[in-house]
Amino acid sequence: MKVAAVAVPLLAGLASSTPLETRQSCPKVHVFGARETTVPQGYGTSQGLVDMVVRAYPGATRDAIVYPACGGQSNCGGVSYENSQQQGTAAVVKAVTDFNKKCPDTKIVLIGYSQGGQIMDNALCGGAGNTLTGTALAAVKAAIFMGDPRNVNGLSYNVGTCKNKGVSDLFISPTLFPLP
């Protein structure tokens, strides 16, 4: 009983100390990645690129967007593509906004493949009812959408290809392409 009596005040002291979130330091760069349709939670095909960006910016952190990534298939709960991309877009807006509130000086990178590219595109450029705004939008310094179903070829923000001054040449080198 004496052990329990000592442990309770000790635990109470820990509970009243500064929350972990406010004690953590914020990274200079944080990457959000989103996977393609029907792939299990995680980064999916964008994993390799997410890893490259994190390695290129020492101390960078990452999070995978949690959403259904479904197109009506039974293996992902039968959620329709439309509903999945709406949920995914809302998840991107919430994740980026929440992270920006906690770490307002962190530069944010969005990476998505296929449906994951679409939800990042929706969140950044508008679509599916949710869009990044204010300081959260301003914190996004780079966005890479691969296989995005919403892509329109030839627009001013399209930069290179995988063979001509594309992502690996321009982005993954902080000396060639430093984040603003």
Side-chain angles (χ1 to χ4, degrees):
M1 286 308 236
K2 288 184 181 182
V3 173
V6 171
V8 171
L10 178 62
L11 292 175
L14 288 175
S16 66
S17 65
T18 306
L20 179 61
E21 289 178 28
T22 59
R23 288 184 280 143
Q24 293 176 339
S25 62
C26 292
K28 289 183 180 180
V29 175
H30 186 79
V31 180
F32 286 99
R35 70 196 192 284
E36 63 271 29
T37 308
T38 71
V39 172
Q41 289 292 340
Y43 300 98
T45 300
S46 67
Q47 176 78 56
L49 186 55
V50 169
D51 291 346
M52 289 171 70
V53 173
V54 169
R55 278 194 308 269
Y57 295 91
T61 55
R62 69 180 97 197
D63 281 310
I65 299 297
V66 177
Y67 79 111
C70 199
Q73 298 84 353
S74 60
N75 66 332
C76 53
V79 176
S80 71
Y81 186 93
E82 181 70 19
N83 188 280
S84 178
Q85 60 95 19
Q86 287 175 345
Q87 288 183 51
T89 302
V92 172
V93 171
K94 180 173 179 11
V96 172
T97 301
D98 289 352
F99 191 90
N100 177 253
K101 285 178 183 173
K102 187 174 77 170
C103 295
D105 296 326
T106 297
K107 295 170 183 175
I108 294 175
V109 177
L110 304 178
I111 299 175
Y113 178 74
S114 192
Q115 186 176 164
Q118 181 176 355
I119 67 172
M120 296 295 198
D121 186 346
N122 289 347
L124 190 61
C125 303
N130 286 290
T131 307
L132 289 166
T133 59
T135 60
L137 175 61
V140 177
K141 302 302 180 187
I144 303 169
F145 312 143
M146 302 168 290
D148 177 1
R150 288 189 56 195
N151 181 60
V152 177
N153 217 7
L155 294 178
S156 61
Y157 54 80
N158 286 328
V159 179
T161 67
C162 62
K163 295 180 181 176
N164 181 25
K165 295 185 180 177
V167 171
S168 62
D169 292 337
L170 294 175
F171 185 72
I172 309 303
S173 172
T175 54
L176 292 176
F177 189 73
L179 290 173

